[in-house]
Amino acid sequence: MAKLIDGKKIATEIQERISKGITRLEGRLPGLVAILVGDHPASLAYVSKKSEQAELVGIRGEVIRLPETVSEESLLGEIDRLNADPEIDGILVQLPLPPHISSKKVISRIDPTKDVDGFHPINMGKLLIGEGDGFMPCTPLGIKELLLHSKVDLDGAHVVIVGRSNIVGKPLAAILMQKHPNCNATVTLANSATRDLSGLCQTADVLIVAIGQPEFVRKEMVKKGAVVIDVGINRVVDESRPRGSRLVGDVAFEEVRHKASMITPVPGGVGPMTVAMLLQNTWSGYLRRQAATLAESVS
Ligand code: NDP
């Protein structure tokens, strides 16, 4: 039976460490602003959770809500204002945005030193070339932390990532392939056109699935003793539950757990790490900003 990788516990430890650091501060606290356009219930829930968790560790969390009809120009103006605000260390814009607004333009407008989601092209570029002074996207960074905490040896391991989105698969591949300690993996990035996906998955020492297809990965696709990281969050009908539904991952957990050596549950695996990494990025951004201010004042 696989050992459970408890993302909730690891995320809590990280948040406690950040909180301890913040309680020692004198002067201004770190500030994180989330911009939400429209009132999509899932987006509202994500943003509220992030801001709530930020407040819990001592980060000043603010949510700016703009109507669905807001113009692209006004949204960009709001970002310019936050970029210029010395009290703000992190800015995130909850995606997706309405179709009349270009998310590419919006993300590129955020000051890269405040881009705590790590989606700005400059931060993505730094990630690819292995420069450590940018921000990495929160979900991939959280997965790296989970593997590190679980002492999974990635050096020379074959990691198969299924799903090549810009927010999970691609940056995760870039992180794990670096010639860095705790990385240095041989990474294969699969997509919906991959031939013999099942055969490929069976060659994985570490199998990471981020496709948004409920319980897609069955036990036949997993090598015995593999480490399995399930990024998917899918709501499926379940009349036996009070809400009439339940959350499942992209992996058929109950059968795969008997074959894997370690596995993340859904919920309680990758999800909590995403929020913890957002707070960690904000905290790092704050520390860098404070160090730069100090350096300026003594030069
Ligand atoms: P996207 O929809 O942006 O990308 C899905 C990727 O999966 C695409 O590359 C697609 O391939 C690939 N794919 C889809 N079906 C298959 C298939 N049958 N075989 C192989 N590849 C397939 O998804 P995201 O990356 O945004 O999210 C993926 C999942 O992770 C979702 O369930 C999402 O809710 C969850 N998620 C969880 C987070 C967390 O914090 N735990 C954070 C972010 C996402 P192609 O490119 O060829 O179309």
Side-chain angles (χ1 to χ4, degrees):
M1 182 77 88
K3 183 179 159 229
L4 268 197
I5 299 178
D6 188 345
K8 206 167 169 195
K9 183 164 168 266
I10 299 168
T12 304
E13 283 167 17
I14 292 167
Q15 289 179 209
E16 280 170 2
R17 204 176 59 219
I18 298 169
S19 178
K20 246 186 213 164
I22 293 177
T23 50
R24 287 200 212 105
L25 292 179
E26 282 170 20
R28 90 167 178 91
L29 295 172
L32 170 67
V33 175
I35 301 178
L36 174 64
V37 178
D39 49 14
H40 190 268
S43 295
L44 181 57
Y46 287 139
V47 161
S48 310
K49 174 100 187 158
K50 289 168 187 174
S51 163
E52 197 181 280
Q53 293 295 314
E55 293 281 347
L56 277 177
V57 300
I59 292 172
R60 286 180 306 102
E62 188 191 342
V63 179
I64 296 179
R65 293 193 62 179
L66 300 171
E68 183 90 19
T69 51
V70 71
S71 68
E72 187 178 87
E73 208 187 333
S74 304
L75 175 55
L76 294 174
E78 195 62 47
I79 292 172
D80 289 343
R81 184 183 69 76
L82 296 168
N83 283 342
D85 186 337
E87 304 266 299
I88 303 299
D89 305 286
I91 304 167
L92 71 89
V93 178
Q94 186 65 40
L95 301 176
L97 290 168
H100 66 279
I101 299 178
S102 156
S103 47
K104 221 187 210 174
K105 232 187 212 174
V106 166
I107 289 167
S108 300
R109 191 68 159 249
I110 299 171
D111 177 345
T113 69
K114 298 189 177 188
D115 166 44
V116 283
D117 258 342
F119 295 157
H120 191 287
I122 286 184
N123 285 318
M124 284 287 186
K126 286 188 173 193
L127 167 60
L128 189 64
I129 61 174
E131 273 187 23
D133 64 342
F135 289 113
M136 293 187 195
C138 302
T139 302
L141 184 57
I143 293 169
K144 188 194 161 197
E145 286 291 323
L146 279 183
L147 294 168
L148 186 63
H149 266 77
S150 310
K151 301 193 168 39
V152 174
D153 185 11
L154 291 173
D155 200 319
H158 184 206
V159 176
V160 174
I161 303 169
V162 191
R164 60 172 159 192
S165 72
N166 286 339
I167 63 166
V168 186
K170 279 187 207 164
L172 182 59
I175 292 172
L176 300 183
M177 71 170 64
Q178 296 300 328
K179 197 167 183 174
H180 287 167
N182 308 311
C183 296
N184 212 27
T186 302
V187 180
T188 305
L189 186 57
N191 56 63
S192 62
T194 297
R195 293 184 192 154
D196 188 17
L197 182 65
S198 179
L200 175 68
C201 290
Q202 286 168 53
T203 67
D205 303 309
V206 179
L207 178 61
I208 305 174
V209 195
I211 59 176
Q213 307 279 341
E215 301 183 319
F216 178 87
V217 170
R218 317 298 303 201
K219 65 173 187 297
E220 297 75 27
M221 297 171 73
V222 178
K223 181 163 88 175
K224 196 166 180 344
V227 174
V228 178
I229 305 291
D230 190 352
V231 188
I233 304 175
N234 309 287
R235 190 163 282 285
V236 295
V237 176
D238 184 344
E239 300 297 353
S240 70
R241 300 290 174 106
R243 288 181 66 178
S245 67
R246 70 189 157 98
L247 289 182
V248 298
D250 290 344
V251 174
F253 179 82
E254 281 309 327
E255 56 178 67
V256 171
R257 70 190 303 202
H258 294 285
K259 209 163 173 196
S261 60
M262 292 188 212
I263 190 167
T264 54
V266 176
V270 175
M273 291 300 288
T274 299
V275 179
M277 291 302 105
L278 174 69
L279 305 182
Q280 185 170 287
N281 276 350
T282 306
W283 178 226
S284 311
Y286 169 87
L287 293 174
R288 284 180 206 156
R289 198 165 297 282
Q290 293 297 81
T293 311
L294 186 66
E296 244 170 55
S297 70
V298 294
S299 66

